[in-house]
Amino acid sequence: MQLYASFPLSLESLSVSHVFALALFVCLAIVVKLLAMRRRGMRTMESFPGPPADWLLGHVKEFHQDGHDLEKIMKWSGQYPFAFPLWFGPSLSILNIHHPSYVKTILTTTEPKDDYAYKFFIPWLGDGLLVSTGQKWFRHRRLLTPGFHYDVLKPYVKLVSDSTKVMLGKWEIYGKSGESFELFKHVSLMTLDSITKCAFSCNSNCQTERKNNPYIQAVYDLCHLVNLRFRVFPYHSKTIFHLSPHGYKFRKAARIAHDHTAYVIRTRKEVLKIEKEQGIFKRNRNLDFLDILLSARDEHQQGLSDEDIRAEVDTFMFEGHDTTASGISWLFYNLACNPEHQEKCREEILQVLDGKDTVDWEDLNKIPYTTMCIKESLRLCPPVPGISRKLTKPMTFFDGRTVPEGCIIGVSIYGIHRNASVWENPNVFDPLRFLPENVAERSPHAFVPFSAGPRNCIGQNFAMNEMKVAVALTLKKYRLIKDPQHIPKMIPQVVLRSINGIHIKIKPVENDS
């Protein structure tokens, strides 16, 4: 009996020891695999020296999201000309390039977006134009390009003017009090109002609602969480991220964003149905981006699926408001910091508008100095500070260094725009850099706020037009003043933001003495 009584205990002990042994074996296998991947990555990057990296965390611990991360990138860019590797975790390495000659090599190709960082966008934005690859990307790009023809963009100018004037009306309280206020939240509402009116013929009334806009907050959360997930190595695992509190917050924010875009699509389909039944199709409104999405057909007369339409609406709802909000906010801040250039813009704008309270399509090409200031702000503060590609074949750069197929190339737009070997006094705001004679002396890949080549930003003309309208009407009404008590700290979270907001003061122009 004693023998039999002890048998279960021995069996249990044996099972526990097996479990521990198996767990140890799995852990060792994982470590061996990670080390092998790291060695493979180091061989890939052996021609490119870079800052020392922790074997497990890589350079993740170097970035604190405290407003100084971009300064660190620029410090390394000075130490390692043209390119240097960045490690995120033990096995993921990205070749960070920051010189026009290197950028030209990658952006003149059709190499796809990398399938590592961009895959974190898919649960939010779907397989839209931002993240799609191959034939699907080519097909969608071809089908959507008519949505950005100047005949489509032309009526948008009045709509953006209307949205801007609503924002400026709300600023009257700050003009009277002289108190500092945070720009980004105001501009985000204005650009969201503009994109819903222009691209989707939908009046959101988001600027006049008293409560906080849930879509704006959702986009902010999603950008933060995508950035966080990329930086935290365990979150690269879909399962771990899904089970984490951050994964729950991401899914909640994505539902809010999807509900918003679903409402826009549903509303438009109802309008189209009524228009078709009453025979008044498009008679009372202009053709817009959503019209083109719904009616687009390829050479086989095949349109976009409902899933594709939602992905593209999600993509353009985000990219059409958040990136332009960043660009406009930093533009206003840079003009506040450089009053002499602000005044030259104002003089030019007042002369062109000649007493009008709105901006017309024909006015957009009559403000060259203002346009140069917009470009200089985009140089110093690119709304998208970095993009990445994954090589489908080996690539050799102009200096003979080569990277193999599968390598991820990170294009540091911020680094290119402040590269001291390309730009004299790169941190100084100087719009004269964009005089035609000065532009002709530089590589066209020295200034790439909208990327370049086949995969450049399809909406760049819309974005530039919106920035011109916004700055023209703003400078006509207000003088922008720097707030020395609130200096923004730049932080790259998909788009360029400030960890402590972007604050300015304003003064009505007619009150100048």
Side-chain angles (χ1 to χ4, degrees):
M1 289 295 295
Q2 187 177 359
L3 177 64
Y4 287 110
S6 64
F7 181 77
L9 181 61
S10 300
L11 184 62
E12 181 180 325
S13 301
L14 186 63
S15 299
V16 170
S17 64
H18 279 170
V19 169
F20 278 115
L22 181 61
L24 180 62
F25 176 79
V26 169
C27 290
L28 288 173
I30 291 173
V31 170
V32 169
K33 181 179 179 180
L34 290 176
L35 288 173
M37 292 172 68
R38 182 166 181 80
R39 281 198 298 271
R40 192 158 55 244
M42 292 180 71
R43 284 197 299 271
T44 297
M45 299 293 178
E46 62 185 354
S47 299
F48 298 92
D54 182 89
W55 80 271
L56 180 62
L57 300 176
H59 294 104
V60 171
K61 64 180 182 179
E62 298 287 343
F63 300 112
H64 306 293
Q65 297 285 285
D66 58 357
H68 299 290
D69 291 349
L70 291 171
E71 296 172 12
K72 187 159 292 184
I73 290 291
M74 293 312 302
K75 177 184 176 183
W76 289 338
S77 296
Q79 294 173 349
Y80 307 100
F82 302 110
F84 59 89
L86 286 175
W87 289 83
F88 295 90
S91 58
L92 175 61
S93 60
I94 297 175
L95 183 64
N96 185 77
I97 63 176
H98 52 89
H99 191 279
S101 298
Y102 265 53
V103 173
K104 177 182 178 181
T105 306
I106 183 69
L107 292 187
T108 52
T109 72
T110 57
E111 293 290 50
K113 302 285 181 73
D114 85 78
D115 57 1
Y116 212 100
Y118 285 92
K119 73 180 179 182
F120 301 146
F121 286 97
I122 292 177
W124 167 23
L125 300 178
D127 199 16
L129 208 57
L130 177 67
V131 298
S132 58
T133 60
Q135 288 303 311
K136 181 172 185 177
W137 177 84
F138 280 108
R139 179 174 180 264
H140 282 214
R141 177 84 180 205
R142 188 173 66 251
L143 291 175
L144 299 184
T145 295
F148 297 91
H149 189 273
Y150 77 90
D151 285 335
V152 177
L153 297 179
K154 190 173 181 180
Y156 292 175
V157 173
K158 182 183 183 306
L159 298 175
V160 174
S161 292
D162 292 342
S163 295
T164 302
K165 284 187 280 188
V166 172
M167 178 183 73
L168 298 179
K170 292 167 62 182
W171 287 8
E172 289 180 0
I173 185 174
Y174 304 115
K176 292 176 181 177
S177 69
E179 67 177 294
S180 174
F181 68 100
E182 204 283 317
L183 273 173
F184 207 105
K185 63 181 181 181
H186 287 274
V187 178
S188 290
L189 286 171
M190 185 276 287
T191 56
L192 179 62
D193 193 27
S194 294
I195 194 69
T196 53
K197 287 177 181 176
C198 295
F200 309 111
S201 297
C202 178
N203 290 313
S204 68
N205 300 316
C206 62
Q207 293 197 83
T208 53
E209 293 176 341
R210 292 189 177 274
K211 60 182 180 179
N212 290 333
N213 186 277
Y215 178 76
I216 294 283
Q217 184 60 47
V219 168
Y220 178 85
D221 291 340
L222 288 164
C223 287
H224 168 71
L225 291 165
V226 166
N227 184 62
L228 177 71
R229 187 176 180 187
F230 180 76
R231 291 187 299 108
V232 178
F233 171 63
Y235 279 178
H236 293 185
S237 164
K238 185 177 180 180
T239 301
I240 293 175
F241 184 70
H242 182 87
L243 295 174
S244 72
H246 290 118
Y248 172 78
K249 188 176 182 180
F250 181 92
R251 293 192 298 278
K252 182 179 178 181
R255 281 195 299 271
I256 293 172
H258 292 160
D259 288 346
H260 180 80
T261 52
Y263 168 77
V264 169
I265 296 171
R266 184 172 65 252
T267 301
R268 168 51 55 81
K269 286 185 174 181
E270 291 171 357
V271 170
L272 290 177
K273 182 180 178 181
I274 294 172
E275 287 178 337
K276 185 175 182 180
E277 290 172 351
Q278 298 180 1
I280 56 171
F281 183 62
K282 299 190 195 87
R283 192 174 300 168
N284 297 321
R285 60 179 177 82
N286 297 296
L287 185 73
D288 64 21
F289 175 71
L290 189 50
D291 285 322
I292 291 169
L293 269 182
L294 294 170
S295 61
R297 296 292 182 273
D298 60 19
E299 62 272 19
H300 305 295
Q301 294 304 303
Q302 296 295 312
L304 297 171
S305 68
D306 288 345
E307 183 180 353
D308 288 339
I309 291 171
R310 198 199 78 173
E312 300 300 355
V313 172
D314 278 322
T315 297
F316 283 95
M317 188 72 75
F318 158 59
E319 291 203 280
H321 100 270
D322 208 38
T323 54
T324 50
S326 174
I328 293 169
S329 298
W330 288 109
L331 170 63
F332 287 177
Y333 176 76
N334 283 320
L335 290 175
C337 293
N338 296 274
E340 69 281 12
H341 296 300
Q342 180 187 159
E343 190 56 38
K344 289 182 180 180
C345 291
R346 182 176 291 105
E347 291 172 0
E348 178 181 69
I349 289 162
L350 291 176
Q351 183 178 359
V352 170
L353 294 184
D354 193 24
K356 294 186 301 182
D357 66 349
T358 191
V359 179
D360 297 322
W361 173 263
E362 293 74 20
D363 299 328
L364 299 180
N365 292 324
K366 298 177 182 178
I367 48 174
Y369 195 86
T370 304
T371 301
M372 289 194 296
C373 285
I374 291 172
K375 290 181 177 180
E376 177 66 348
S377 183
L378 290 172
R379 182 188 71 83
L380 285 170
C381 308
V384 180
I387 56 177
S388 56
R389 300 284 187 266
K390 184 173 183 179
L391 300 185
T392 59
K393 52 185 176 295
M395 177 172 287
T396 301
F397 295 102
F398 80 99
D399 57 1
R401 290 189 287 183
T402 299
V403 284
E405 174 187 348
C407 181
I408 297 177
I409 307 293
V411 179
S412 176
I413 295 175
Y414 186 91
I416 298 160
H417 286 184
R418 295 189 183 229
N419 190 318
S421 69
V422 179
W423 305 91
E424 186 178 355
N425 299 320
N427 297 321
V428 174
F429 186 89
D430 180 10
L432 298 184
R433 303 177 197 273
F434 292 94
L435 285 170
E437 57 268 30
N438 292 333
V439 171
E441 295 177 355
R442 286 193 303 270
S443 163
H445 292 87
F447 179 66
V448 286
F450 301 105
S451 187
R455 293 201 67 138
N456 67 349
C457 174
I458 194 173
Q460 60 183 293
N461 289 328
F462 172 82
M464 282 297 294
N465 292 347
E466 186 170 18
M467 294 184 75
K468 290 179 182 180
V469 171
V471 73
L473 293 178
T474 300
L475 294 188
K476 180 179 184 294
K477 188 168 184 176
Y478 295 115
R479 189 172 303 280
L480 310 179
I481 304 167
K482 179 182 178 180
D483 177 7
Q485 302 300 317
H486 295 89
I487 304 300
K489 297 180 179 179
M490 289 184 180
I491 180 172
Q493 283 191 346
V494 183
V495 302
L496 189 64
R497 304 179 187 273
S498 167
I499 196 170
N500 58 336
I502 305 173
H503 293 78
I504 62 168
K505 298 179 180 181
I506 59 173
K507 179 181 178 183
V509 170
E510 63 267 22
N511 290 350
D512 285 355
S513 56

